[in-house]
Amino acid sequence: MKDFNSDHQGLQAADRSMGNNSGSPQSAAGKPHVGLIGLGRMGLAIAERLLNAKFHVVGFDENAAAVKEFEKMGGEGVRTAGDVGSHTQIFWLMVPAGDAVDEVIDEIYPHLRHKAIVIDGGNSKFTDSIKRAEKLNFQGVHYLDCGTSGGLHGRENGFSLMVGGNKEGFKQAEPLFKAIAAPKGYGHVGPSGSGHYVKMVHNGIEYALLQGYAEGLHLLHANSHYKELDLAQITDIWNHGSIIRSWILDLAHRILERDQKFAEISGKIFESGTGKWTVEEAHRHHVPVKLIEDALKIRADSRESGGDYATKLVALLRHEFGGHKLG
């Protein structure tokens, strides 16, 4: 990200509060226009929830087909990320972690006014979010890092949102979080970086949970005592009253209803990097995370060996809840 100085021409001298949306226009429902950059699966799901809540949403994606789909939903598509800034001073970024986030910030920066809000809803590394917040907050821009969980099903059920950043920015953006989240599914968890830190640990826990379910079901599938065990039936029983019932188990049940052999499925599990970051952070603080570490290693090994029944199930679960690619 560019090293901006305090007299950058893109920032206006006037200190407008988001009470009048930093000069942003409002929808017919009196809600501020929202700019959404990144219209992939999650981005479109977020757009739909905002549109259903009567926000006017202006969107951009490098994929023209995604913009067309967004427009069919009722959003206003634009041609560049910078164009979003001519419509709003509230920006939600849903782009891949890393350089892509900085590139978008560079493009919208000349359009940012004092008290504008930039929300990174992706899986950025928390240390990167801290650095971005320091630079933008210095210019009077609220930068919020928002860990976003819920996968493809968040579109219908709402997302779980873990928000880091200054409280003023959070309060001003809270109507967006309320519209996007599941009931009671959002909150301000701490200062800059904390939202993505909490989401990083969330993803580490997810690694271990997925592997735990998959290994148990692998054993049931491979056992030599009871060859006719119906894993779809068993997961359904477990999900009604057992102490290991969960949404992940419900998704496993749906998968197993369709197929229990996985003969045509690759056992390679891909990842975004958050599990690795979780383990690195745990080592830094001398916190044992043996289960998460083992799950991370199993994923890496699966990409070399092709995996086994358990890793096939993990890959299918990731595809089921997040649309993640299969090997």
Side-chain angles (χ1 to χ4, degrees), residues 11-302:
L11 295 179
Q12 303 294 313
D15 179 1
R16 302 182 179 94
S17 74
M18 289 302 294
N20 66 0
N21 309 311
S22 287
S24 295
Q26 293 186 340
S27 70
K31 296 182 178 180
H33 289 199
V34 179
L36 182 56
I37 301 173
L39 299 172
R41 293 183 300 267
M42 293 280 281
L44 286 173
I46 287 169
E48 184 171 310
R49 292 192 66 81
L50 288 171
L51 289 165
N52 288 343
K54 307 305 181 185
F55 285 89
H56 182 96
V57 187
V58 181
F60 167 75
D61 194 282
E62 292 181 349
N63 183 343
V67 176
K68 288 183 179 179
E69 184 175 350
F70 168 69
E71 290 175 335
K72 289 178 182 177
M73 293 164 53
E76 179 182 356
V78 293
R79 298 182 64 181
T80 70
D83 288 343
V84 177
S86 64
H87 294 75
T88 182
Q89 286 295 291
I90 307 174
F91 303 82
W92 187 292
L93 279 52
M94 213 66 196
V95 298
D99 292 342
V101 178
D102 293 322
E103 290 167 4
V104 169
I105 293 173
D106 288 348
E107 192 166 352
I108 66 174
Y109 188 82
H111 305 276
L112 298 178
R113 292 194 289 271
H114 199 49
K115 299 291 186 180
I117 294 176
V118 179
I119 304 166
D120 178 3
N123 275 330
S124 291
K125 193 170 186 178
F126 76 97
T127 51
D128 292 339
S129 298
I130 292 170
K131 292 175 184 176
R132 291 167 185 145
E134 287 174 348
K135 290 184 177 181
L136 289 179
N137 290 350
F138 182 74
Q139 306 298 336
V141 174
H142 296 303
Y143 188 82
L144 303 175
D145 52 286
C146 178
T148 307
S149 180
L152 302 178
H153 299 261
R155 190 172 198 155
E156 178 181 354
N157 303 325
F159 292 89
S160 174
L161 306 176
M162 302 140 258
V163 187
N166 66 60
K167 289 185 177 180
E168 180 186 354
F170 171 78
K171 283 295 184 184
Q172 291 169 0
E174 191 168 6
L176 276 72
F177 299 132
K178 187 174 182 180
I180 294 167
K184 299 184 179 180
Y186 75 92
H188 181 259
V189 298
S192 295
S194 63
H196 283 150
Y197 190 93
V198 172
K199 179 56 163 50
M200 174 190 73
V201 176
H202 162 286
N203 284 14
I205 293 169
E206 176 192 304
Y207 278 42
L209 286 173
L210 291 174
Q211 190 62 33
Y213 280 118
E215 289 179 4
L217 290 163
H218 187 183
L219 179 57
L220 290 176
H221 173 75
N223 90 91
S224 61
H225 304 289
Y226 310 103
K227 281 294 187 179
E228 301 303 318
L229 291 179
D230 183 342
L231 302 189
Q233 179 198 30
I234 291 166
T235 50
D236 192 36
I237 293 170
W238 283 350
N239 233 9
H240 290 83
S242 89
I243 62 171
I244 62 168
R245 64 188 182 273
S246 72
W247 185 56
I248 292 175
L249 189 59
D250 182 52
L251 295 179
H253 169 67
R254 297 182 203 181
I255 291 167
L256 290 162
E257 276 192 314
R258 297 194 295 264
D259 177 26
Q260 297 190 24
K261 294 182 178 179
F262 311 150
E264 305 300 321
I265 302 298
S266 168
K268 295 181 180 180
I269 313 172
F270 299 95
E271 56 192 270
S272 63
T274 50
K276 180 174 178 285
W277 300 338
T278 303
V279 170
E280 289 173 349
E281 184 67 8
H283 288 173
R284 188 173 294 112
H285 292 281
H286 307 290
V287 173
V289 286
K290 178 65 174 170
L291 297 179
I292 298 172
E293 199 163 5
D294 284 350
L296 180 64
K297 185 177 185 302
I298 289 167
R299 291 191 179 198
D301 290 345
S302 77

